[in-house]
PDB file of all heavy atoms in Angstrom:
ATOM      1  N   ALA E   1     193.793 143.861  59.407  1.00  0.00           N
ATOM      2  CA  ALA E   1     192.598 143.105  59.493  1.00  0.00           C
ATOM      3  C   ALA E   1     192.096 142.919  60.866  1.00  0.00           C
ATOM      4  O   ALA E   1     192.761 143.313  61.899  1.00  0.00           O
ATOM      5  CB  ALA E   1     192.966 141.596  59.015  1.00  0.00           C
ATOM      6  N   TRP E   2     190.909 142.461  60.998  1.00  0.00           N
ATOM      7  CA  TRP E   2     190.254 142.126  62.364  1.00  0.00           C
ATOM      8  C   TRP E   2     189.928 140.621  62.288  1.00  0.00           C
ATOM      9  O   TRP E   2     189.322 140.160  61.316  1.00  0.00           O
ATOM     10  CB  TRP E   2     189.040 142.978  62.592  1.00  0.00           C
ATOM     11  CG  TRP E   2     189.256 144.444  62.814  1.00  0.00           C
ATOM     12  CD1 TRP E   2     189.186 145.403  61.901  1.00  0.00           C
ATOM     13  CD2 TRP E   2     189.552 145.059  64.085  1.00  0.00           C
ATOM     14  NE1 TRP E   2     189.565 146.640  62.499  1.00  0.00           N
ATOM     15  CE2 TRP E   2     189.715 146.403  63.889  1.00  0.00           C
ATOM     16  CE3 TRP E   2     189.736 144.578  65.360  1.00  0.00           C
ATOM     17  CZ2 TRP E   2     189.988 147.276  64.813  1.00  0.00           C
ATOM     18  CZ3 TRP E   2     190.106 145.431  66.385  1.00  0.00           C
ATOM     19  CH2 TRP E   2     190.168 146.719  66.184  1.00  0.00           C
ATOM     20  N   PHE E   3     190.286 139.964  63.417  1.00  0.00           N
ATOM     21  CA  PHE E   3     189.750 138.669  63.686  1.00  0.00           C
ATOM     22  C   PHE E   3     189.165 138.567  65.006  1.00  0.00           C
ATOM     23  O   PHE E   3     189.206 139.487  65.834  1.00  0.00           O
ATOM     24  CB  PHE E   3     191.086 137.656  63.780  1.00  0.00           C
ATOM     25  CG  PHE E   3     191.656 137.459  62.388  1.00  0.00           C
ATOM     26  CD1 PHE E   3     192.498 138.361  61.791  1.00  0.00           C
ATOM     27  CD2 PHE E   3     191.392 136.295  61.704  1.00  0.00           C
ATOM     28  CE1 PHE E   3     193.121 138.243  60.651  1.00  0.00           C
ATOM     29  CE2 PHE E   3     192.004 136.091  60.439  1.00  0.00           C
ATOM     30  CZ  PHE E   3     192.752 136.997  59.922  1.00  0.00           C
ATOM     31  N   ARG E   4     188.475 137.505  65.289  1.00  0.00           N
ATOM     32  CA  ARG E   4     187.806 137.371  66.611  1.00  0.00           C
ATOM     33  C   ARG E   4     187.802 135.908  66.977  1.00  0.00           C
ATOM     34  O   ARG E   4     187.942 134.969  66.201  1.00  0.00           O
ATOM     35  CB  ARG E   4     186.387 137.935  66.570  1.00  0.00           C
ATOM     36  CG  ARG E   4     185.421 137.089  65.711  1.00  0.00           C
ATOM     37  CD  ARG E   4     184.069 137.791  65.583  1.00  0.00           C
ATOM     38  NE  ARG E   4     183.059 137.002  64.903  1.00  0.00           N
ATOM     39  CZ  ARG E   4     181.833 137.432  64.671  1.00  0.00           C
ATOM     40  NH1 ARG E   4     181.392 138.532  64.911  1.00  0.00           N
ATOM     41  NH2 ARG E   4     180.970 136.621  63.899  1.00  0.00           N
ATOM     42  N   GLU E   5     187.763 135.629  68.364  1.00  0.00           N
ATOM     43  CA  GLU E   5     187.658 134.343  68.820  1.00  0.00           C
ATOM     44  C   GLU E   5     186.977 134.326  70.136  1.00  0.00           C
ATOM     45  O   GLU E   5     186.947 135.332  70.867  1.00  0.00           O
ATOM     46  CB  GLU E   5     189.047 133.684  68.939  1.00  0.00           C
ATOM     47  CG  GLU E   5     189.881 134.335  69.892  1.00  0.00           C
ATOM     48  CD  GLU E   5     191.292 133.627  69.914  1.00  0.00           C
ATOM     49  OE1 GLU E   5     192.004 133.625  68.854  1.00  0.00           O
ATOM     50  OE2 GLU E   5     191.678 133.035  70.970  1.00  0.00           O
ATOM     51  N   SER E   6     186.247 133.291  70.523  1.00  0.00           N
ATOM     52  CA  SER E   6     185.710 132.980  71.681  1.00  0.00           C
ATOM     53  C   SER E   6     185.839 131.528  72.158  1.00  0.00           C
ATOM     54  O   SER E   6     186.507 130.742  71.498  1.00  0.00           O
ATOM     55  CB  SER E   6     184.165 133.361  71.671  1.00  0.00           C
ATOM     56  OG  SER E   6     183.535 132.419  70.824  1.00  0.00           O
ATOM     57  N   ARG E   7     185.315 131.289  73.344  1.00  0.00           N
ATOM     58  CA  ARG E   7     185.431 129.851  73.793  1.00  0.00           C
ATOM     59  C   ARG E   7     184.711 128.894  73.002  1.00  0.00           C
ATOM     60  O   ARG E   7     185.089 127.703  72.903  1.00  0.00           O
ATOM     61  CB  ARG E   7     184.921 129.834  75.280  1.00  0.00           C
ATOM     62  CG  ARG E   7     185.814 130.561  76.281  1.00  0.00           C
ATOM     63  CD  ARG E   7     185.239 130.455  77.653  1.00  0.00           C
ATOM     64  NE  ARG E   7     186.077 131.213  78.629  1.00  0.00           N
ATOM     65  CZ  ARG E   7     185.919 131.221  79.961  1.00  0.00           C
ATOM     66  NH1 ARG E   7     184.746 130.644  80.446  1.00  0.00           N
ATOM     67  NH2 ARG E   7     186.688 131.935  80.745  1.00  0.00           N
ATOM     68  N   LYS E   8     183.668 129.313  72.207  1.00  0.00           N
ATOM     69  CA  LYS E   8     182.922 128.462  71.376  1.00  0.00           C
ATOM     70  C   LYS E   8     183.231 128.554  69.946  1.00  0.00           C
ATOM     71  O   LYS E   8     182.701 127.817  69.101  1.00  0.00           O
ATOM     72  CB  LYS E   8     181.401 128.784  71.483  1.00  0.00           C
ATOM     73  CG  LYS E   8     180.910 128.698  73.030  1.00  0.00           C
ATOM     74  CD  LYS E   8     179.421 128.771  73.042  1.00  0.00           C
ATOM     75  CE  LYS E   8     178.900 130.116  72.711  1.00  0.00           C
ATOM     76  NZ  LYS E   8     177.396 130.313  72.933  1.00  0.00           N
ATOM     77  N   GLN E   9     184.116 129.476  69.608  1.00  0.00           N
ATOM     78  CA  GLN E   9     184.442 129.722  68.140  1.00  0.00           C
ATOM     79  C   GLN E   9     185.944 129.867  68.065  1.00  0.00           C
ATOM     80  O   GLN E   9     186.482 130.804  68.614  1.00  0.00           O
ATOM     81  CB  GLN E   9     183.602 130.958  67.591  1.00  0.00           C
ATOM     82  CG  GLN E   9     184.080 131.219  66.116  1.00  0.00           C
ATOM     83  CD  GLN E   9     183.619 130.244  65.175  1.00  0.00           C
ATOM     84  OE1 GLN E   9     182.357 129.673  65.117  1.00  0.00           O
ATOM     85  NE2 GLN E   9     184.570 129.813  64.408  1.00  0.00           N
ATOM     86  N   ALA E  10     186.642 129.123  67.267  1.00  0.00           N
ATOM     87  CA  ALA E  10     187.973 129.302  66.882  1.00  0.00           C
ATOM     88  C   ALA E  10     188.222 130.633  66.231  1.00  0.00           C
ATOM     89  O   ALA E  10     187.284 131.313  65.634  1.00  0.00           O
ATOM     90  CB  ALA E  10     188.534 128.212  66.138  1.00  0.00           C
ATOM     91  N   ARG E  11     189.474 131.055  66.163  1.00  0.00           N
ATOM     92  CA  ARG E  11     189.747 132.408  65.485  1.00  0.00           C
ATOM     93  C   ARG E  11     189.142 132.440  64.096  1.00  0.00           C
ATOM     94  O   ARG E  11     189.426 131.659  63.325  1.00  0.00           O
ATOM     95  CB  ARG E  11     191.249 132.593  65.518  1.00  0.00           C
ATOM     96  CG  ARG E  11     191.698 133.977  65.026  1.00  0.00           C
ATOM     97  CD  ARG E  11     193.168 134.287  65.323  1.00  0.00           C
ATOM     98  NE  ARG E  11     193.388 134.341  66.846  1.00  0.00           N
ATOM     99  CZ  ARG E  11     194.381 134.671  67.391  1.00  0.00           C
ATOM    100  NH1 ARG E  11     195.452 135.141  66.728  1.00  0.00           N
ATOM    101  NH2 ARG E  11     194.516 134.706  68.752  1.00  0.00           N
ATOM    102  N   GLU E  12     188.431 133.544  63.996  1.00  0.00           N
ATOM    103  CA  GLU E  12     187.671 133.750  62.722  1.00  0.00           C
ATOM    104  C   GLU E  12     187.973 135.045  62.065  1.00  0.00           C
ATOM    105  O   GLU E  12     188.058 136.124  62.719  1.00  0.00           O
ATOM    106  CB  GLU E  12     186.139 133.649  63.104  1.00  0.00           C
ATOM    107  CG  GLU E  12     185.205 133.954  61.934  1.00  0.00           C
ATOM    108  CD  GLU E  12     183.694 134.096  62.457  1.00  0.00           C
ATOM    109  OE1 GLU E  12     183.580 134.493  63.659  1.00  0.00           O
ATOM    110  OE2 GLU E  12     182.829 133.813  61.697  1.00  0.00           O
ATOM    111  N   PHE E  13     188.002 135.044  60.731  1.00  0.00           N
ATOM    112  CA  PHE E  13     188.320 136.157  59.964  1.00  0.00           C
ATOM    113  C   PHE E  13     187.093 137.154  60.036  1.00  0.00           C
ATOM    114  O   PHE E  13     185.899 136.622  59.799  1.00  0.00           O
ATOM    115  CB  PHE E  13     188.608 135.844  58.589  1.00  0.00           C
ATOM    116  CG  PHE E  13     188.654 137.039  57.606  1.00  0.00           C
ATOM    117  CD1 PHE E  13     189.642 137.945  57.624  1.00  0.00           C
ATOM    118  CD2 PHE E  13     187.692 137.204  56.774  1.00  0.00           C
ATOM    119  CE1 PHE E  13     189.657 139.042  56.899  1.00  0.00           C
ATOM    120  CE2 PHE E  13     187.621 138.233  55.788  1.00  0.00           C
ATOM    121  CZ  PHE E  13     188.570 139.305  55.859  1.00  0.00           C
ATOM    122  N   VAL E  14     187.280 138.378  60.293  1.00  0.00           N
ATOM    123  CA  VAL E  14     186.016 139.469  60.317  1.00  0.00           C
ATOM    124  C   VAL E  14     186.189 140.222  59.215  1.00  0.00           C
ATOM    125  O   VAL E  14     185.183 140.337  58.344  1.00  0.00           O
ATOM    126  CB  VAL E  14     186.153 140.107  61.598  1.00  0.00           C
ATOM    127  CG1 VAL E  14     185.006 141.216  61.703  1.00  0.00           C
ATOM    128  CG2 VAL E  14     185.982 139.233  62.854  1.00  0.00           C
ATOM    129  N   SER E  15     187.303 141.024  58.890  1.00  0.00           N
ATOM    130  CA  SER E  15     187.347 141.899  57.838  1.00  0.00           C
ATOM    131  C   SER E  15     188.839 142.209  57.668  1.00  0.00           C
ATOM    132  O   SER E  15     189.726 142.108  58.487  1.00  0.00           O
ATOM    133  CB  SER E  15     186.570 143.228  58.220  1.00  0.00           C
ATOM    134  OG  SER E  15     186.614 144.123  57.132  1.00  0.00           O
ATOM    135  N   VAL E  16     189.159 142.763  56.451  1.00  0.00           N
ATOM    136  CA  VAL E  16     190.476 143.284  56.017  1.00  0.00           C
ATOM    137  C   VAL E  16     190.381 144.410  55.193  1.00  0.00           C
ATOM    138  O   VAL E  16     189.448 144.616  54.424  1.00  0.00           O
ATOM    139  CB  VAL E  16     191.246 142.181  55.463  1.00  0.00           C
ATOM    140  CG1 VAL E  16     190.601 141.698  54.083  1.00  0.00           C
ATOM    141  CG2 VAL E  16     192.658 142.526  55.196  1.00  0.00           C
ATOM    142  N   ILE E  17     191.370 145.339  55.231  1.00  0.00           N
ATOM    143  CA  ILE E  17     191.489 146.405  54.334  1.00  0.00           C
ATOM    144  C   ILE E  17     193.012 146.368  53.918  1.00  0.00           C
ATOM    145  O   ILE E  17     193.891 146.421  54.630  1.00  0.00           O
ATOM    146  CB  ILE E  17     191.207 147.785  54.909  1.00  0.00           C
ATOM    147  CG1 ILE E  17     191.278 148.847  53.907  1.00  0.00           C
ATOM    148  CG2 ILE E  17     192.011 148.076  56.164  1.00  0.00           C
ATOM    149  CD1 ILE E  17     190.643 150.150  54.316  1.00  0.00           C
ATOM    150  N   THR E  18     193.204 146.249  52.514  1.00  0.00           N
ATOM    151  CA  THR E  18     194.464 146.046  52.042  1.00  0.00           C
ATOM    152  C   THR E  18     195.166 147.302  51.761  1.00  0.00           C
ATOM    153  O   THR E  18     194.531 148.424  51.746  1.00  0.00           O
ATOM    154  CB  THR E  18     194.427 145.347  50.628  1.00  0.00           C
ATOM    155  OG1 THR E  18     193.754 146.156  49.745  1.00  0.00           O
ATOM    156  CG2 THR E  18     193.592 144.018  50.743  1.00  0.00           C
ATOM    157  N   TRP E  19     196.584 147.373  51.941  1.00  0.00           N
ATOM    158  CA  TRP E  19     197.310 148.530  51.595  1.00  0.00           C
ATOM    159  C   TRP E  19     197.109 148.831  50.154  1.00  0.00           C
ATOM    160  O   TRP E  19     196.943 149.993  49.777  1.00  0.00           O
ATOM    161  CB  TRP E  19     198.842 148.310  52.047  1.00  0.00           C
ATOM    162  CG  TRP E  19     199.569 149.489  51.487  1.00  0.00           C
ATOM    163  CD1 TRP E  19     200.503 149.517  50.608  1.00  0.00           C
ATOM    164  CD2 TRP E  19     199.558 150.906  52.104  1.00  0.00           C
ATOM    165  NE1 TRP E  19     201.023 150.703  50.365  1.00  0.00           N
ATOM    166  CE2 TRP E  19     200.500 151.584  51.286  1.00  0.00           C
ATOM    167  CE3 TRP E  19     198.878 151.481  53.125  1.00  0.00           C
ATOM    168  CZ2 TRP E  19     200.761 152.977  51.555  1.00  0.00           C
ATOM    169  CZ3 TRP E  19     199.147 152.807  53.409  1.00  0.00           C
ATOM    170  CH2 TRP E  19     200.087 153.441  52.604  1.00  0.00           C
ATOM    171  N   THR E  20     197.379 147.905  49.274  1.00  0.00           N
ATOM    172  CA  THR E  20     197.308 148.209  47.842  1.00  0.00           C
ATOM    173  C   THR E  20     195.814 148.291  47.468  1.00  0.00           C
ATOM    174  O   THR E  20     195.024 147.277  47.453  1.00  0.00           O
ATOM    175  CB  THR E  20     197.980 146.951  47.074  1.00  0.00           C
ATOM    176  OG1 THR E  20     199.287 146.883  47.453  1.00  0.00           O
ATOM    177  CG2 THR E  20     197.982 147.269  45.694  1.00  0.00           C
ATOM    178  N   GLY E  21     195.416 149.493  47.067  1.00  0.00           N
ATOM    179  CA  GLY E  21     194.052 149.776  46.604  1.00  0.00           C
ATOM    180  C   GLY E  21     193.025 149.847  47.697  1.00  0.00           C
ATOM    181  O   GLY E  21     191.910 150.240  47.380  1.00  0.00           O
ATOM    182  N   SER E  22     193.352 149.716  48.959  1.00  0.00           N
ATOM    183  CA  SER E  22     192.428 149.847  50.090  1.00  0.00           C
ATOM    184  C   SER E  22     191.156 149.018  49.878  1.00  0.00           C
ATOM    185  O   SER E  22     190.036 149.542  50.038  1.00  0.00           O
ATOM    186  CB  SER E  22     192.127 151.302  50.321  1.00  0.00           C
ATOM    187  OG  SER E  22     193.301 151.992  50.730  1.00  0.00           O
ATOM    188  N   ASN E  23     191.321 147.901  49.317  1.00  0.00           N
ATOM    189  CA  ASN E  23     190.162 146.975  49.100  1.00  0.00           C
ATOM    190  C   ASN E  23     189.667 146.428  50.459  1.00  0.00           C
ATOM    191  O   ASN E  23     190.552 146.109  51.277  1.00  0.00           O
ATOM    192  CB  ASN E  23     190.541 145.837  48.104  1.00  0.00           C
ATOM    193  CG  ASN E  23     190.921 146.304  46.774  1.00  0.00           C
ATOM    194  OD1 ASN E  23     190.281 147.215  46.116  1.00  0.00           O
ATOM    195  ND2 ASN E  23     191.958 145.744  46.213  1.00  0.00           N
ATOM    196  N   THR E  24     188.469 146.242  50.477  1.00  0.00           N
ATOM    197  CA  THR E  24     187.863 145.680  51.696  1.00  0.00           C
ATOM    198  C   THR E  24     187.162 144.377  51.469  1.00  0.00           C
ATOM    199  O   THR E  24     186.513 144.123  50.463  1.00  0.00           O
ATOM    200  CB  THR E  24     186.895 146.641  52.430  1.00  0.00           C
ATOM    201  OG1 THR E  24     185.919 146.980  51.507  1.00  0.00           O
ATOM    202  CG2 THR E  24     187.665 147.930  52.804  1.00  0.00           C
ATOM    203  N   TYR E  25     187.223 143.471  52.421  1.00  0.00           N
ATOM    204  CA  TYR E  25     186.544 142.164  52.375  1.00  0.00           C
ATOM    205  C   TYR E  25     186.043 141.776  53.734  1.00  0.00           C
ATOM    206  O   TYR E  25     186.575 142.154  54.800  1.00  0.00           O
ATOM    207  CB  TYR E  25     187.569 141.017  51.837  1.00  0.00           C
ATOM    208  CG  TYR E  25     188.041 141.373  50.521  1.00  0.00           C
ATOM    209  CD1 TYR E  25     189.364 141.930  50.329  1.00  0.00           C
ATOM    210  CD2 TYR E  25     187.384 141.010  49.358  1.00  0.00           C
ATOM    211  CE1 TYR E  25     189.868 142.251  49.116  1.00  0.00           C
ATOM    212  CE2 TYR E  25     187.879 141.382  48.066  1.00  0.00           C
ATOM    213  CZ  TYR E  25     189.115 142.019  47.952  1.00  0.00           C
ATOM    214  OH  TYR E  25     189.585 142.286  46.803  1.00  0.00           O
ATOM    215  N   TYR E  26     185.054 141.084  53.825  1.00  0.00           N
ATOM    216  CA  TYR E  26     184.351 140.638  55.048  1.00  0.00           C
ATOM    217  C   TYR E  26     184.026 139.161  55.164  1.00  0.00           C
ATOM    218  O   TYR E  26     183.767 138.534  54.050  1.00  0.00           O
ATOM    219  CB  TYR E  26     183.058 141.488  55.214  1.00  0.00           C
ATOM    220  CG  TYR E  26     183.270 142.971  55.207  1.00  0.00           C
ATOM    221  CD1 TYR E  26     183.317 143.607  54.009  1.00  0.00           C
ATOM    222  CD2 TYR E  26     183.506 143.609  56.418  1.00  0.00           C
ATOM    223  CE1 TYR E  26     183.479 145.136  54.062  1.00  0.00           C
ATOM    224  CE2 TYR E  26     183.711 144.919  56.407  1.00  0.00           C
ATOM    225  CZ  TYR E  26     183.712 145.648  55.188  1.00  0.00           C
ATOM    226  OH  TYR E  26     183.939 147.032  55.243  1.00  0.00           O
ATOM    227  N   GLY E  27     184.085 138.732  56.383  1.00  0.00           N
ATOM    228  CA  GLY E  27     183.574 137.317  56.559  1.00  0.00           C
ATOM    229  C   GLY E  27     182.031 137.248  56.427  1.00  0.00           C
ATOM    230  O   GLY E  27     181.399 138.263  56.511  1.00  0.00           O
ATOM    231  N   ASP E  28     181.649 136.090  56.020  1.00  0.00           N
ATOM    232  CA  ASP E  28     180.241 135.938  55.690  1.00  0.00           C
ATOM    233  C   ASP E  28     179.321 136.234  56.806  1.00  0.00           C
ATOM    234  O   ASP E  28     178.242 136.734  56.624  1.00  0.00           O
ATOM    235  CB  ASP E  28     179.921 134.486  55.143  1.00  0.00           C
ATOM    236  CG  ASP E  28     180.574 134.140  53.814  1.00  0.00           C
ATOM    237  OD1 ASP E  28     180.736 135.150  53.063  1.00  0.00           O
ATOM    238  OD2 ASP E  28     180.648 132.930  53.450  1.00  0.00           O
ATOM    239  N   SER E  29     179.700 135.911  58.075  1.00  0.00           N
ATOM    240  CA  SER E  29     178.917 136.151  59.209  1.00  0.00           C
ATOM    241  C   SER E  29     178.722 137.658  59.603  1.00  0.00           C
ATOM    242  O   SER E  29     177.731 138.035  60.290  1.00  0.00           O
ATOM    243  CB  SER E  29     179.551 135.504  60.451  1.00  0.00           C
ATOM    244  OG  SER E  29     180.738 136.038  60.763  1.00  0.00           O
ATOM    245  N   VAL E  30     179.560 138.527  59.091  1.00  0.00           N
ATOM    246  CA  VAL E  30     179.470 140.014  59.339  1.00  0.00           C
ATOM    247  C   VAL E  30     179.139 140.804  58.038  1.00  0.00           C
ATOM    248  O   VAL E  30     178.896 142.041  58.246  1.00  0.00           O
ATOM    249  CB  VAL E  30     180.720 140.418  59.972  1.00  0.00           C
ATOM    250  CG1 VAL E  30     181.014 139.652  61.253  1.00  0.00           C
ATOM    251  CG2 VAL E  30     181.838 140.561  59.045  1.00  0.00           C
ATOM    252  N   LYS E  31     179.076 140.233  56.969  1.00  0.00           N
ATOM    253  CA  LYS E  31     178.931 141.093  55.743  1.00  0.00           C
ATOM    254  C   LYS E  31     177.585 141.790  55.772  1.00  0.00           C
ATOM    255  O   LYS E  31     176.593 141.174  56.137  1.00  0.00           O
ATOM    256  CB  LYS E  31     178.932 140.140  54.522  1.00  0.00           C
ATOM    257  CG  LYS E  31     178.981 140.910  53.143  1.00  0.00           C
ATOM    258  CD  LYS E  31     179.109 139.830  52.030  1.00  0.00           C
ATOM    259  CE  LYS E  31     180.478 139.176  52.101  1.00  0.00           C
ATOM    260  NZ  LYS E  31     180.712 138.255  50.937  1.00  0.00           N
TER     261      LYS E  31
END
């Protein structure tokens, strides 16, 4: 997975790719 954080934003989920099935999901802000 990828996460991101800044001084103005707490750690936020960006995207993930699963091992099982290689499914991908995205945070709403980057979809």
